[in-house]
Amino acid sequence: MLVLLPPSEGKASSGRGAPLKPETLSLPGLTPARETVLGELVELCAGDEEKAREVLGLSEGLRGEVAKNAELRTAGARPAGEIYTGVLYDALDLASLDTAARKRAARSLLVFSGLWGAVRVTDRIPSYRCSMGVKLPTLGALGAYWRAPMAEVLPEAAGDGLVLDLRSAAYAAAWKPKGEVAGRTASVRVLHAPTRKVVSHFNKATKGRIVRSLLSSGSAPEGPAELVEALRDLEYTVEAEAPAKAGKPWSLDVLVEEIH
């Protein structure tokens, strides 16, 4: 099972660990593209601060993120699972998983990123600010930039099992499973059952709980239909319908009664 996650806007501090070594990150086929984005981002943020803040879409209160980006090559690095914070990651709570579940997380979780493309939760990265929606002066929109390298690397990373897609729209744009891989991909929406609406906070929290439940239970669904049964066994209310055509992803709705 491969689980595709969005990053978090807010991130923990880099700490005092050894600096980034791009060549050690997972999915080495993305290394040249990562180096290109990293180089432009560092150059941008080491230059005109106001221009960098505008490009990155940062408020006055987040001005310090520009200086942080300028030092990405020398800043301390920590496992990505410790860097990413926020509602989904709080609910997932990787640090409190037992040893077996943490090993499953290391194998199966892939976090998408405007800067790195995608990383494993064990990859050591510095804290940064660069969303997939950013348009860098030379490279342009990062969502579009990442499509070609992702298309080369991600099908192999997906292996021959289930792909559980929990990404937000901006990050989903960087790689859309196709063909046979798409046929074993399931995307999930979380809906407030009484209103049938998506509410951002509990959408993220529930996705974090879903991943935690799967990791903790040791469940290993082989495809979307098995995922539906696994989630129901874990006491989630799931609505799903197989796609009309082969080679298309499944769409699952998880219904939640209470917003929390």
Side-chain angles (χ1 to χ4, degrees), residues 43-99:
E43 182 179 359
L44 170 69
C45 292
D48 186 330
E49 183 180 89
E50 289 304 317
K51 179 181 178 181
R53 194 161 66 86
E54 180 181 352
V55 168
L56 296 174
L58 300 177
S59 66
E60 176 66 30
L62 293 173
R63 181 181 293 273
E65 299 293 286
V66 174
K68 185 169 71 174
N69 280 351
E71 299 176 353
L72 284 172
R73 293 191 183 277
T74 56
R78 296 167 59 187
E82 298 176 12
I83 290 290
Y84 294 117
T85 59
V87 175
L88 187 155
Y89 292 91
D90 286 348
L92 174 53
D93 195 7
L94 286 168
S96 69
L97 291 172
D98 63 32
T99 300

Side-chain angles (χ1 to χ4, degrees), residues 212-226:
R212 182 180 178 86
S213 296
L214 291 169
L215 294 173
S216 297
S217 69
S219 179
E222 296 181 357
E226 292 82 3

Side-chain angles (χ1 to χ4, degrees), residues 1-5 158 161-167 172 175-189 207 210-211 214 221-229 231 238-243 247-254:
M1 177 173 66
L2 183 68
V3 182
L4 311 181
L5 296 174
L162 169 71
V163 178
L164 174 53
D165 191 352
L166 301 178
R167 298 172 295 168
W175 181 60
K176 295 182 179 180
K178 296 181 179 179
E180 186 269 336
V181 178
R184 49 188 167 83
T185 296
S187 61
V188 173
R189 296 190 307 173
K207 287 180 176 178
I210 286 171
V211 177
L214 291 169
E222 296 181 357
E226 292 82 3
L227 173 65
V228 172
E229 294 306 313
L231 291 177
V238 183
E239 294 180 352
E241 186 174 339
K248 298 293 183 180
W250 286 51
S251 295
L252 278 56
D253 287 340
V254 174

Side-chain angles (χ1 to χ4, degrees), residues 12-17 68 72 75-78 83 124-128:
S13 63
S14 294
R16 298 182 179 180
K68 185 169 71 174
L72 284 172
R78 296 167 59 187
I83 290 290
R124 298 180 62 85
I125 59 173
S127 183
Y128 67 96

